[in-house]
Amino acid sequence: MIARLSRRALLGSAIAAGAAMIAAPAMAQNIKIGAFLAVTGPASFLGDPEAKTLKLYAEKINSAGGVLGRKIEVIVYDSAGDAKQATTFAKRLIEDDKVDVIVGGSTTGETMAVVPLIDEARIPFISLAGASVIVEPVKKWVFKMPHSDRMAVEKAYIDMKKRNLSGVAIIGGSGGFDQSCRKEAQALAPKYGMKVVADETYAPTDTDMTTQLTKIKNTAGVQAIFGCGFGSVTSITARNYKQLGMSTPFYFNHGVGSQQFIDGAGGGAEGVRVPVAALLVAEQLPAGDPQKKAALDYGAAYKTAYKEPISTFGGHAYDGLQIALDAIKRAGSTDKAKVRDAIEQTKNHVGVDGTYNMTPADHMGLTLESFKLVEIRNNTWKLLE
Amino acid sequence: MSLLRVEGLSKLFGGVHAVAELSVAIEPGRIHSVIGPNGAGKTTLLNLVTGIYQPSQGRILMADEDVTALSTAARARRGVARTFQNLQIFFNMSAVENVMVGRHLHLSDRLVPTLLRLPSVMRANRAAQEKAVELMRFVGLAAYLDAEADAMPYGALKRLEIARAMASEPRLLLLDEPAAGLNPKETGEIDELIQKIARAGTTVVLVEHDMKLVMGVSDHILVLDYGRRLAEGTAAEIRANPDVIRAYLGTQAA
Amino acid sequence: MLRLASARTGGLVALAAIVAALPLFFPNNFYYDVAIKTALNAIVCIGLNLLIGYAGQISLGHAGFFALGGYASAILTARYGWPGLLAMLAGAVGVGLLAFAIARPVLRLRGHYLAMATLGLGIIVAIIINREIAITGGPDGMTVPRLWVGGWRVSGAVAWYWVAAGALLLAVWLSLNLIDSTLGRALRALHGSEIAAQTAGIDTTRYKVLVFVISAVFASLAGSLFAHAEGYVTPIEAGFLRSIEFVTMVVLGGMASTFGAVAGAAILTALPQLLTVFQDYKHLVLGAILIGVMIFMPNGLVPSVALSLRRLRPPVPAS
Amino acid sequence: MTKSAAVRHAELGTASVAEFLQFLFSGITVGAIYALVGVGFAIIYSASNVINFAQGEFVMLGGMATMFLLSGGEPLWLAALLAIVITAAIGLALNKFAVEPAAHRRGGGASVVTLIIITIGASIFIRGAAEVLLGKDSHRLPAFSGDQPIDIFGAKLDPQVLWVLGALALAVVGLRWFFARTRLGKAMLATSCNRLAAELVGIDVRMILLASFGLSAALGALAGILTAPITLTRYDIGIMLGLKGFCAAILGGLGSPFGAVAGGLLLGIAEAMAAGYLSSAYKDVVAFVIILAVLFLAPGGLFGAKATERV
């Protein structure tokens, strides 16, 4: 059966691919938004909600009449978080699909790998990845949406300082997201009067972190633990933390901002503090908070469409899309240089991640205020501020 | 001076002597045969001589030089070639290429000229090919000059191994059951071939079960039983030797 | 032999013609990008095919050599200001020496144990590249400066296409030369029967080491070119999934066939681009294609196609 | 502050014992998982000389299918049982529709490398199917006997690990019985020793191959179910588990299920000890260096048979 299936699939793929290549430049008046995202692979928990969000809002916006009287068309390719595939897909978006703006790059590695291409092609690019290195130093055509890992570290350190905790143990994975966060945690420690007294690493595919946590537990002077990471491995870390009966205040970076983290930890996440985008705690925001409505609306729309809990990562894609379209509206065209300038001039744009104020020197445009510190209580997020 | 001499040679497999305290001398220019019942240690002896096995005890000398510690390839360089009871054909090559591999020791294999395909390499290649074709005709494989090895019948493959072994221009050629699995006509042809090889000056050691073949071609016969020398001599002497008769017939009669 | 020689030249000429004509069909730079990646993967596969297809020794760690070449170029040019070609050469020599050093103990192993050992070595390389952030940039990778050849800055898809295509043709030529030689026959012989090869006077260990080093150097050079062409290199290039991808290319295209290695690389490099039409089902389809090809063409694409072509032609009477 | 040196020393001593035990438990936890996966590799290799790179996918399927059935309202035991049956059926199908057609083609079967690529294709296919049908989220199955850790000399053991170890012991005993006492088991051993001879004495080699895929798929699914409360499960967890299981099987010596168990535990404990006493960042390097060292000393793995060639 598989044999027959594969023969037909081969034929089908050849025909379909041929058709796709021929039928490329048909509808010129659509506004084309290109995206390469880690829809599958180890970072799929980032790329999957991002892709879903882009598709959902493309439909919504089109049924509301589109932008500048033109329909928008979202083209998403799955990079699997692999830089080599990302560069090919970025090239395809630019050269073959002739998109007007690129939103995407779920991970820092794939984002940075396409930056040389973006520079050459002179096309506005809004990254959905976390590391500060993406916009520092500023690159003319490159913007990014999520709060940087540096902000997550700052948020956590400020809270630790409030609680008079100064000895920090870092535990994190060996992946790019984790390492970037770890680097910031090391670098920012002196500024906030913190001292990193332990630093433990695990592989992203590890299944038991009790060894690393035991070492932290037995290190003198550890007053708080800061976790850098994302995915199921963070759940296992929290679960092992509980298994070892540890009570040291535990912080995580914003990579754990999804219900999966809490569920996977089997109660181990209780009491863990996490800086997250306001999206996760939209209901708890005070009525006057400008983000509240945007976050609630997005959350409701996503849940209705996909019947699954929201994550903050989908929110980055939402903001990226909105900022790109807003800039196209203000530019009055899809002229790449004009759109780029308009993105750079984004002012008081209320997104689910916060209020964006871009400048030529700041291609992220978020401040610490839009980042919320939450604690996990009764298996859900509790806003602390 | 013996071409090959083994002294006090023993090989143990898990406590069992496959070859036990064997001392034999092979004189140049003759056809020697090694016979004996199954499990007598004939193939083990060939494996020891070619260095595929390391002996448990004893020495192997070639032209009075101790080669016991040398690798198989190093012994080949000293003029030993062989064929195999279980065919060891390079099935991933053509018949001609199989024989060309046999020329290995006579060809240069320097990397840079090879990679750049310098004229010298191409000349050597052509010469090796011509020699291989000549050898294939010599062993009676003229019909298979264009064949892939994996498309040839069993009998032809036996000859191909002989051609490959001859390609190295050995001083000593070890043939491990060249007639096994062949019909009487083919066996007769092998008989002629062995004599042709010996006439051309190569010393032959023949391990064989086919008594008609052995008795017909051998100048000298060694009989092994349980890894030990049972008898040695000319065909007539062996035929008349009571120990040999007992070893062969006795086991069958019992 | 005559037939073989003509197939050899004919194949090379045909490949050169394809390479020269392809740009006529490329509507834009994206196609060049896929072609460049195909060519560079093919170079790795040609080297790997010498090892796996001809010498019969498996390696599940060649991505390690590829990445080492890439990172040698990246680090020496970006951090130490070396000229690109010199860095590439240094990388190749370094990788060659490394391969030489590990080849003897590793190649004593056989079959799956050899696969395990090479897999382990590749993974060790990947982990070290991943962890030594100060030198390699860590998991996020590092930027690689453009390649200068003499006074020419190799930049842009078209330029890189010709560089990669030239390198590919050179690799094919070298590989074909190697195979049809004493050396190449020795390699194939040790695959066919190691004992018979030794009996023919072939020092099998020496040849295993030699072919391992050659294939590692091929991978290293391709890695260097890749780093410069992309302008960026990440540790994923060293990962074991990449190594398995290379082996899959070789087997799919056809073991013991230089053109098979090229075909395998071309198909598996282009396939992800073609499979985007299946969207969520792309992995399903990719898996099915792999299974299907291997069932119906167990010797790989090129040898199977060549065989059926030969069967179509009337047999040549033996002279 | 004024504690005597002796007391402090004693405290340090018990602390380091507890620490060592904790590392050991950690090692056993992951090692037992590797071992269970490794056994699956060993069984198929025994029967067919094929390394089944889809073995990790069986483990994933066990966990994911159980999760899916649980969410459909089945009780845990039933969900687990069904998941094992489903996975075994998929294992049989993999053999029937992908491996067998290639292995038994007219004019000689496919080479071992070809069969390996087929199993790689199958793993991509199964993973792709799971991605589409079951989604990309990670899931945790409830622990079988609660989350309350067991305290042993100050070190904490996850009770779920006892389930894994129990299954491992049962698998070892069961397989030993299977190979020594049952017709099918003996036939499998005979096939692995000499395929041709087995065929000549009337053993249906195709049947053996089929049985080995079914058995190792079922065992893989069991591993996936038992470990999902510890490792969580996800559509792509099979890649890592497959890799580590392969390492375990090789380290122990291919074709020996008991070797795979030893290899898995050794690998897990080596990783934990390396992370604990050397460097957690380089623990995997240490583990692979150990594997390489073992292979250099014992080229057929720890319990592998030495292969000799007859000429």
Side-chain angles (χ1 to χ4, degrees):
Chain A
M1 191 212 73
I2 291 176
R4 216 175 305 140
L5 185 88
S6 74
R7 214 186 279 168
R8 206 178 303 155
L10 255 170
L11 193 69
S13 78
I15 293 169
M21 283 178 176
I22 295 160
M27 313 196 217
Q29 57 271 62
N30 281 355
I31 295 175
K32 286 187 167 183
I33 312 282
F36 59 94
L37 301 167
V39 183
T40 60
S44 67
F45 73 99
L46 298 172
D48 187 56
E50 286 164 357
K52 284 175 174 162
T53 300
L54 288 182
K55 284 177 190 156
L56 173 65
Y57 276 86
E59 273 171 38
K60 278 188 184 296
I61 291 163
N62 282 338
S63 58
V67 174
L68 300 178
R70 294 157 66 180
K71 295 252 178 248
I72 67 166
E73 185 185 341
V74 170
I75 302 164
V76 178
Y77 293 125
D78 175 16
S79 66
D82 174 342
K84 192 178 187 173
Q85 291 201 45
T87 55
T88 307
F89 281 125
K91 209 150 228 173
R92 183 164 174 183
L93 290 168
I94 297 165
E95 301 278 349
D96 208 48
D97 300 318
K98 306 211 182 309
V99 298
D100 300 302
V101 183
I102 295 180
V103 176
S106 305
T107 70
T108 303
E110 55 182 356
T111 296
M112 293 304 288
V114 303
V115 163
L117 289 180
I118 298 289
D119 267 352
E120 229 162 86
R122 307 163 123 355
I123 182 167
F125 172 43
I126 301 178
S127 167
L128 306 181
S132 344
V133 62
I134 297 168
V135 290
E136 292 173 21
V138 170
K139 296 159 195 72
K140 188 175 177 196
W141 297 89
V142 183
F143 301 85
K144 95 179 192 81
M145 286 296 103
H147 301 91
S148 64
D149 34 25
R150 175 180 311 158
M151 296 166 78
V153 173
E154 285 183 313
K155 204 77 189 171
Y157 279 179
I158 289 168
D159 192 59
M160 288 179 200
K161 210 171 169 187
K162 251 190 252 166
R163 295 163 84 182
N164 281 323
L165 310 169
S166 62
V168 189
I170 302 172
I171 182 163
S174 54
F177 184 82
D178 318 51
Q179 293 287 11
S180 172
C181 159
R182 157 177 287 126
K183 204 170 76 190
E184 299 290 355
Q186 296 270 14
L188 286 171
K191 189 178 157 196
Y192 289 89
M194 299 288 152
K195 195 163 179 299
V196 177
V197 288
D199 186 351
E200 292 295 323
T201 307
Y202 49 75
T205 50
D206 277 0
T207 50
D208 186 277
M209 260 57 69
T210 51
T211 300
Q212 287 89 336
L213 287 168
T214 302
K215 278 171 84 179
I216 288 175
K217 195 178 166 187
N218 294 346
T219 303
V222 173
Q223 293 170 314
I225 305 171
F226 184 65
C228 285
F230 62 72
S232 49
V233 77
T234 51
S235 297
I236 300 172
T237 308
R239 185 164 181 271
N240 290 158
Y241 167 86
K242 183 188 164 201
Q243 179 191 338
L244 293 174
M246 295 173 76
S247 56
T248 322
F250 199 174
Y251 292 78
F252 253 110
N253 69 347
H254 52 320
V256 302
S258 73
Q259 190 63 35
Q260 276 185 49
F261 165 67
I262 302 177
D263 295 343
E270 213 55 27
V272 171
R273 292 190 174 189
V274 189
V276 295
L279 177 59
L280 276 186
V281 287
E283 300 86 3
Q284 300 171 43
L285 291 174
D289 194 299
Q291 271 167 268
K292 181 157 187 163
K293 185 180 170 337
L296 280 175
D297 287 352
Y298 166 73
Y302 188 91
K303 278 184 209 158
T304 314
Y306 295 112
K307 315 273 182 292
E308 62 182 32
I310 48 165
S311 76
T312 53
F313 316 112
H316 307 328
Y318 172 81
D319 283 349
L321 182 67
Q322 295 293 355
I323 283 180
L325 294 177
D326 181 56
I328 289 169
K329 263 185 233 168
R330 280 184 282 120
S333 79
T334 48
D335 180 90
K336 294 188 177 67
K338 284 187 189 153
V339 173
R340 188 215 79 91
D341 292 347
I343 295 175
E344 198 170 68
Q345 288 151 15
T346 300
K347 287 282 170 299
N348 294 318
H349 176 96
V350 179
V352 298
D353 277 332
T355 304
Y356 290 88
N357 283 294
M358 303 273 187
T359 67
D362 180 5
H363 277 195
M364 172 176 65
L366 289 174
T367 57
L368 268 185
E369 279 84 90
S370 57
F371 224 10
K372 310 291 179 192
L373 193 71
V374 301
E375 187 175 293
I376 295 163
R377 286 186 205 153
N378 299 322
N379 285 329
T380 187
W381 315 97
K382 178 78 185 84
L383 184 65
L384 286 176
E385 296 155 22
Chain B
M1 187 181 75
S2 304
L3 184 56
L4 172 78
R5 213 161 72 230
V6 305
E7 294 177 351
L9 202 65
S10 294
K11 179 66 185 175
L12 280 152
F13 284 119
V16 178
H17 273 97
V19 168
E21 291 157 32
L22 191 66
S23 296
V24 181
I26 301 291
E27 301 308 323
R30 302 207 292 181
I31 300 176
H32 298 257
S33 284
V34 182
I35 62 170
N38 278 327
K42 305 180 298 285
T43 296
T44 306
L45 178 61
L46 293 197
N47 284 339
L48 286 167
V49 169
T50 47
I52 291 165
Y53 294 159
Q54 273 301 306
S56 312
Q57 251 172 13
R59 299 199 302 161
I60 299 163
L61 296 106
M62 290 194 60
D64 287 341
E65 184 196 357
D66 190 340
V67 298
T68 318
L70 292 184
S71 71
T72 303
R75 292 184 204 193
R77 226 165 287 141
R78 280 165 179 72
V80 185
R82 73 173 282 188
T83 67
F84 297 86
Q85 182 186 349
N86 300 330
L87 285 177
Q88 296 288 314
I89 295 288
F90 307 126
F91 283 114
N92 52 345
M93 292 190 226
S94 70
V96 173
E97 284 174 319
N98 263 273
V99 184
M100 286 168 81
V101 171
R103 291 294 294 161
H104 185 82
L105 288 169
H106 301 274
L107 297 167
S108 152
D109 64 342
R110 283 169 55 216
L111 181 62
V112 174
T114 298
L115 284 176
L116 300 181
R117 206 172 173 78
L118 297 182
S120 64
V121 175
M122 292 174 71
R123 267 199 307 276
N125 232 0
R126 253 197 313 274
Q129 194 189 335
E130 279 160 16
K131 178 80 187 172
V133 169
E134 183 193 311
L135 275 165
M136 282 182 71
R137 292 187 200 280
F138 177 76
V139 300
L141 288 178
Y144 295 100
L145 290 179
D146 278 330
E148 292 294 319
D150 57 8
M152 289 166 69
Y154 184 77
L157 291 176
K158 289 242 148 191
R159 290 159 184 273
L160 187 63
E161 274 208 339
I162 296 174
R164 183 178 70 196
M166 288 300 293
S168 66
E169 298 172 25
R171 288 194 285 167
L172 178 63
L173 175 65
L174 313 173
L175 300 174
D176 197 353
E177 300 198 18
L182 300 188
N183 61 34
K185 180 173 166 280
E186 289 172 324
T187 305
E189 287 164 5
I190 289 282
D191 186 330
E192 282 167 31
L193 180 58
I194 291 170
Q195 301 207 34
K196 225 160 67 174
I197 290 169
R199 273 201 303 277
T202 305
T203 309
V204 175
V205 172
L206 174 68
V207 167
E208 187 51 70
H209 277 295
D210 187 315
M211 282 309 136
K212 194 163 158 267
L213 174 66
V214 170
M215 295 302 165
V217 299
S218 307
D219 299 312
H220 177 265
I221 298 173
L222 168 69
V223 187
L224 289 182
D225 194 23
Y226 295 107
R228 289 169 199 280
R229 180 173 56 200
L230 190 68
E232 214 175 342
T234 62
E237 286 163 7
I238 294 300
R239 232 182 255 135
N241 188 311
D243 288 341
V244 176
I245 294 167
R246 201 176 312 122
Y248 270 81
L249 296 180
T251 46
Q252 276 172 20
Chain C
M1 280 312 283
L2 224 100
R3 190 188 65 218
L4 233 156
S6 71
R8 177 183 175 281
T9 333
L12 194 59
V13 169
L15 185 67
I18 292 172
V19 160
L22 264 183
L24 300 174
F25 303 98
F26 286 172
N28 57 53
N29 281 351
F30 156 62
Y31 291 80
Y32 280 98
D33 184 79
V34 177
I36 292 164
K37 281 175 178 147
T38 297
L40 298 179
N41 283 338
I43 294 172
V44 181
C45 291
I46 288 168
L48 196 55
N49 178 50
L50 291 173
L51 184 71
I52 299 179
Y54 286 109
Q57 311 295 313
I58 188 94
S59 167
L60 291 183
H62 258 54
F65 296 128
F66 180 83
L68 281 177
Y71 272 96
S73 282
I75 292 166
L76 292 176
T77 53
R79 302 214 197 284
Y80 298 97
W82 286 34
L85 285 180
L86 190 63
M88 196 179 296
L89 195 69
V93 170
V95 165
L97 288 174
L98 176 72
F100 180 74
I102 58 178
R104 242 160 231 279
V106 166
L107 292 169
R108 270 183 48 227
L109 302 170
R110 280 160 193 269
H112 300 298
Y113 297 96
L114 176 61
M116 176 75 250
T118 48
L119 178 79
L121 288 166
I123 291 178
I124 290 173
V125 169
I127 295 175
I128 292 173
I129 290 175
N130 203 52
R131 302 287 195 275
E132 292 303 316
I133 298 170
I135 307 167
T136 63
D140 285 340
M142 69 180 288
T143 312
V144 190
R146 283 293 175 201
L147 181 66
W148 288 81
V149 180
W152 180 45
R153 178 171 177 268
V154 189
S155 134
V158 179
W160 269 109
Y161 175 78
W162 293 114
V163 170
L168 171 65
L169 288 173
L170 183 66
V172 169
W173 183 67
L174 292 175
S175 168
L176 292 173
N177 288 351
L178 190 71
I179 291 153
D180 184 22
S181 74
T182 308
L183 218 159
R185 279 188 297 275
L187 292 180
R188 283 185 284 164
L190 75 88
H191 184 190
S193 164
E194 202 163 335
I195 284 178
Q198 285 166 354
T199 327
I202 294 168
D203 179 352
T204 50
T205 310
R206 182 172 156 253
Y207 285 91
K208 284 186 193 175
V209 171
L210 181 70
V211 71
F212 191 68
V213 170
I214 291 174
S215 70
V217 168
F218 268 56
S220 171
L221 290 171
S224 288
L225 288 173
F226 171 81
H228 283 298
E230 286 281 282
Y232 207 82
V233 57
T234 67
I236 290 180
E237 300 313 325
F240 87 98
L241 288 177
R242 204 65 107 214
S243 289
I244 288 180
E245 210 177 301
F246 285 137
V247 174
T248 308
M249 288 172 180
V250 170
V251 178
L252 187 80
M255 289 202 294
S257 160
T258 300
F259 295 107
V262 178
I267 289 165
L268 281 185
T269 311
L271 211 51
Q273 298 301 323
L274 302 179
L275 293 182
T276 53
V277 293
F278 293 102
Q279 306 215 351
D280 292 345
Y281 300 93
K282 60 185 176 300
H283 291 134
L284 222 65
V285 177
L286 175 65
I289 290 176
L290 272 186
I291 296 172
V293 172
M294 288 288 95
I295 288 176
F296 294 109
M297 303 178 174
N299 298 321
L301 281 167
V302 168
S304 299
V305 170
L307 190 69
S308 35
L309 284 180
R310 222 176 299 150
R311 281 195 186 135
L312 284 178
R313 267 198 319 229
V316 186
S319 50
Chain D
M1 281 293 119
T2 52
K3 274 183 204 166
S4 77
V7 170
R8 228 174 29 228
H9 204 79
E11 275 179 0
L12 259 176
T14 50
S16 64
V17 168
E19 189 176 74
F20 173 79
L21 269 181
Q22 192 64 58
F23 295 165
L24 187 66
F25 287 172
S26 172
I28 290 173
T29 304
V30 290
I33 298 169
Y34 299 165
L36 260 184
V37 185
V39 171
F41 275 97
I43 292 173
I44 291 184
Y45 183 83
S46 295
S48 64
N49 281 7
V50 171
I51 288 288
N52 172 28
F53 273 102
Q55 186 64 30
E57 261 46 58
F58 294 152
V59 182
M60 177 275 289
L61 281 175
M64 289 297 282
T66 308
M67 180 281 302
F68 181 73
L69 293 164
L70 267 184
S71 68
E74 308 292 340
L76 180 60
W77 67 269
L78 185 61
L81 199 67
L82 284 173
I84 292 175
V85 172
I86 293 169
T87 309
I90 293 173
L92 295 177
L94 168 62
N95 176 63
K96 196 81 202 152
F97 297 115
V99 175
E100 205 185 280
H104 299 279
R105 271 172 68 89
R106 275 170 294 119
S111 72
V112 169
V113 185
T114 302
L115 292 175
I116 287 177
I117 300 296
I118 286 179
T119 67
I120 288 175
S123 77
I124 296 172
F125 184 86
I126 295 172
R127 211 180 307 137
E131 176 193 327
V132 173
L133 297 173
L134 304 172
K136 284 173 282 196
D137 290 345
S138 62
H139 303 273
R140 196 172 90 85
L141 290 180
F144 292 14
S145 45
D147 286 316
Q148 193 57 45
I150 302 160
D151 191 302
I152 300 167
F153 298 118
K156 307 284 196 296
L157 185 67
D158 185 338
Q160 187 68 24
V161 175
L162 297 179
W163 283 91
V164 179
L165 287 173
L168 198 56
L170 216 65
V172 169
V173 174
L175 284 173
R176 183 150 274 181
W177 171 80
F178 177 72
F179 284 127
R181 295 265 178 274
T182 66
R183 266 185 80 84
L184 186 61
K186 284 183 196 166
M188 250 188 211
L189 272 189
T191 311
S192 82
C193 283
N194 189 333
R195 196 191 181 103
L196 194 67
E199 256 169 22
L200 287 177
V201 298
I203 292 172
D204 184 349
V205 172
R206 282 177 188 232
M207 188 62 215
I208 296 296
L209 208 63
L210 194 65
S212 73
F213 269 86
L215 182 63
S216 71
L219 206 64
L222 179 70
I225 296 162
L226 292 175
T227 58
I230 302 171
T231 65
L232 280 66
T233 186
R234 209 175 110 95
Y235 80 104
D236 63 354
I237 199 172
I239 302 176
M240 182 278 292
L241 289 174
L243 174 67
K244 292 295 172 74
F246 176 54
C247 294
I250 292 275
L251 191 56
L254 270 173
S256 154
F258 321 110
V261 171
L265 287 172
L266 182 67
L267 186 60
I269 292 170
E271 280 182 11
M273 292 299 161
Y277 292 115
L278 295 169
S279 149
S280 55
Y282 277 99
K283 71 176 170 56
D284 288 315
V285 170
V286 176
F288 278 110
V289 167
I290 290 175
I291 292 177
L292 287 174
V294 168
L295 289 184
F296 292 162
L297 296 175
L302 290 173
F303 299 95
K306 252 187 233 156
T308 43
E309 217 166 329
R310 274 185 62 86
V311 289

